[in-house]
Amino acid sequence: MDRLEEIEKQIEQFRNDRDWAQYHNPKDLAISLSIEVAELLENFQWKISEDAVQKNKEDIKRELADVLIYSIMLSNEMDLDLETIIKEKLKENEEKYPIDKSKGSNSKYTEFTN
């Protein structure tokens, strides 16, 4: 068993021990994920990035864990293999953002000139 599978099983066991699967449909998991992302962002609001990280690192760590946990639960609920969907997205991004056009640039792919 790889590390990701082990983490997925721990999350599932935590949820099942509390009988929370009944609440974990894709819609509610997506909503919860959005809320956790907002809580993560609160650590950065109105602050310089470096100051926010220095001051709020522990809370950022906890909120990021919540974001990842909900992401994993949503992928499992929808029967999506995380490794596969991440690799597919990376391939898609490689096509959208070729190195010769995107290296060192923060432009969106739609802004690239031919």
Side-chain angles (χ1 to χ4, degrees):
M1 178 181 319
D2 68 10
R3 288 174 30 187
L4 183 55
E5 288 175 342
E6 184 178 322
I7 290 169
E8 288 174 344
K9 289 199 180 302
Q10 288 175 336
I11 292 168
E12 185 177 5
Q13 185 66 50
F14 179 88
R15 180 202 64 192
N16 291 345
D17 287 349
R18 288 152 182 82
D19 192 26
W20 289 349
Q22 60 186 317
Y23 308 114
H24 290 172
N25 60 74
K27 175 195 69 88
D28 288 324
L29 289 170
I31 290 169
S32 297
L33 177 58
S34 179
I35 291 167
E36 294 301 336
V37 169
E39 290 176 3
L40 174 63
L41 288 172
E42 282 182 318
N43 287 286
F44 294 95
Q45 187 176 25
W46 316 122
K47 297 173 185 74
I48 296 170
S49 182
E50 294 80 14
D51 294 343
V53 169
Q54 183 178 8
K55 181 180 177 194
N56 300 323
K57 192 165 189 172
E58 288 303 309
D59 195 50
I60 290 168
K61 189 170 66 172
R62 284 189 296 274
E63 297 303 339
L64 180 58
D66 286 338
V67 167
L68 295 169
I69 289 167
Y70 276 115
S71 296
I72 289 169
M73 291 190 332
L74 180 58
S75 69
N76 286 344
E77 183 64 27
M78 295 181 64
D79 199 26
L80 301 172
D81 179 72
L82 279 176
E83 183 178 353
T84 301
I85 65 174
I86 289 170
K87 286 180 179 180
E88 289 172 354
K89 183 60 177 176
L90 284 172
K91 183 174 171 57
E92 180 182 321
N93 286 346
E94 284 177 355
E95 293 171 9
K96 286 182 181 178
Y97 295 93
I99 293 170
D100 63 322
K101 292 184 179 182
S102 62
K103 189 170 186 174
S105 171
N106 64 354
S107 296
K108 187 172 178 175
Y109 69 95
T110 56
E111 298 172 355
F112 294 153
T113 57
N114 292 333

